[in-house]
Amino acid sequence: MPELPEVETIRTELEPLLLGRRILSATASRMDIIGYPDPRRFRRGIAGARVAGLARRGKYLIVRLDTERELLFHLRLSGRLEVRGPSRPRRFERIRFELDNGRSLAFVEPRVLGRVYLTKTGDYPAALAGMLRMGPEPIQPGFTASYLAAKLARRRSVVKNLLLDQRVCCGVGNIYADEALARAGIRPTRMGGSLKQGEINRLARALRAVLKEGIRWCGTTLADERYLRPGRQAGSFQRRLRVHGREGSLCRMRGCTGVVERRRIGNRSSYYCPVCQR
DNA sequence: CTTGTGTCCTGTAGGC
DNA sequence: TGCCTACAGGACACAA
């Protein structure tokens, strides 16, 4: 599932394919994939725009256009972006953008939870309110241990859920939250407000490290292959996961003999080592 | 403001 | 073989 490292990988790999290209038209086979504005205004607004650059904010991929507008994608759980030559639509292709070089950008999204938005630059509608409330990028200098400490202080939710809250810090999803907590030696069920300063320091450092490492290895492609890069290659960070998806396996922390456990926290699976995460 | 729960959405895996 | 249910889970609406 695309989290910060996966979206960043997609941004890097898509940029050379899209930069300077003109978008001729958009064709949607599922209208509900368009989050804003209505499909008619969306199609009219995108036609003729040229791609000026690609950016990322949290889990959103932002295609900057030369028309003072932005095309934003949220891939949610199963979304994928591909640039392809002339071809029949792929299975689960929900919208396609024709480019001026004969190729097209396809948004493939089996579960139809992902969305694409067209907005004036920086002027986000209610459908994108999450963009305005979004917390700092964990891999930027603004994200510090003291910032995180302020966000966790007196909070009674479990720390795992607070890491998934995009207002606390953005881009973290289920996989990297589990991995950051594992590296920091913190159990996901700990109440946010109960973390000591030393633990928060370790957690901030672990978040930065694990997200950067995820980017370096081009993201995590689990066995069910939900996430693929634009050229359909898999990422390779799954080989370096310490706990996520490893229930019943030996903990990968150095010198630890614990066996990874799985528990449901806030209606999603969490993996942790009962020995080295306290 | 905070916290927990339900909902969206559809394909796939597993049980019988 | 085929039907049914549970599950996957990010974001948000909503209730308490």
Side-chain angles (χ1 to χ4, degrees):
Chain A
M1 45 238 71
E3 304 178 27
L4 188 155
E6 288 74 30
V7 180
E8 183 61 26
T9 300
I10 292 165
R11 189 198 70 76
T12 303
E13 297 186 354
L14 222 41
E15 185 156 54
L17 300 175
L18 294 183
L19 197 60
R21 295 271 68 81
R22 199 176 282 282
I23 297 173
L24 304 178
S25 64
T27 315
S29 52
R30 274 290 293 258
M31 294 307 156
D32 46 358
I33 205 78
I34 302 173
Y36 183 89
D38 61 84
R40 206 181 117 241
R41 283 199 295 151
F42 183 94
R43 279 197 299 269
R44 288 160 57 114
I46 193 81
R50 199 179 285 280
V51 175
L54 265 66
R56 180 193 55 75
R57 180 82 176 94
K59 299 174 196 170
Y60 286 88
L61 179 75
I62 304 173
V63 179
R64 292 191 291 110
L65 304 173
D66 66 348
T67 51
E68 310 271 301
R69 290 178 205 216
E70 296 171 352
L71 185 63
L72 294 95
F73 293 90
H74 198 301
L75 277 36
R76 289 288 188 108
L77 310 177
S78 56
R80 221 161 64 215
L81 290 166
E82 287 179 29
V83 173
R84 319 173 55 207
S87 52
R88 295 193 49 230
R90 234 183 242 300
R91 192 173 182 214
F92 309 130
E93 182 176 311
R94 308 306 188 187
I95 189 167
R96 171 191 288 226
F97 300 87
E98 298 295 338
L99 305 176
D100 62 355
N101 60 354
R103 306 177 88 183
S104 61
L105 172 67
F107 186 13
V108 178
E109 167 48 315
R111 291 182 194 169
V112 207
L113 288 171
R115 292 288 182 270
V116 57
Y117 309 87
L118 181 66
T119 70
K120 293 201 180 95
T121 297
D123 180 18
Y124 298 124
L128 279 164
M131 280 288 286
L132 300 169
R133 291 194 278 257
M134 198 176 287
E137 299 278 337
I139 55 172
Q140 293 294 320
F143 183 78
T144 60
S146 56
Y147 166 84
L148 186 59
K151 282 293 172 185
L152 299 184
R154 293 175 299 281
R155 297 292 297 266
R156 306 176 72 82
S157 298
V158 297
V159 62
K160 168 77 183 275
N161 284 348
L162 291 168
L163 291 183
L164 296 176
D165 185 339
Q166 302 298 296
R167 292 167 297 189
V168 172
C169 63
C170 67
V172 179
N174 205 31
I175 297 172
Y176 293 92
D178 280 356
E179 292 300 305
L181 288 164
R183 286 162 196 239
I186 297 166
R187 209 172 275 225
T189 49
R190 286 279 300 282
M191 191 189 291
S194 77
L195 296 199
K196 305 277 171 279
Q197 188 59 52
E199 294 175 315
I200 295 173
N201 292 344
R202 296 206 309 266
L203 183 54
R205 208 172 323 125
L207 273 168
R208 280 192 296 266
V210 80
L211 292 168
K212 284 184 177 172
E213 211 178 314
I215 294 170
R216 192 155 77 79
W217 296 99
C218 301
T220 304
T221 301
L222 297 173
D224 52 11
E225 267 197 3
R226 277 191 286 251
Y227 158 72
L228 288 177
R229 291 150 61 192
R232 296 178 60 78
Q233 315 95 313
S236 41
F237 193 60
Q238 62 279 6
R239 296 201 300 257
R240 313 189 118 70
L241 297 177
R242 301 207 183 160
V243 290
H244 190 88
R246 301 189 60 250
E247 182 183 20
S249 305
L250 196 61
C251 172
R252 287 210 176 116
M253 292 299 284
R254 210 156 62 89
C256 181
T257 54
V259 173
V260 176
E261 289 181 3
R262 177 163 77 117
R263 267 192 66 173
R264 292 195 75 75
I265 299 173
N267 217 26
R268 39 170 86 78
S269 286
S270 290
Y271 299 85
Y272 65 97
C273 170
V275 174
C276 67
Q277 288 176 257
R278 295 269 156 207

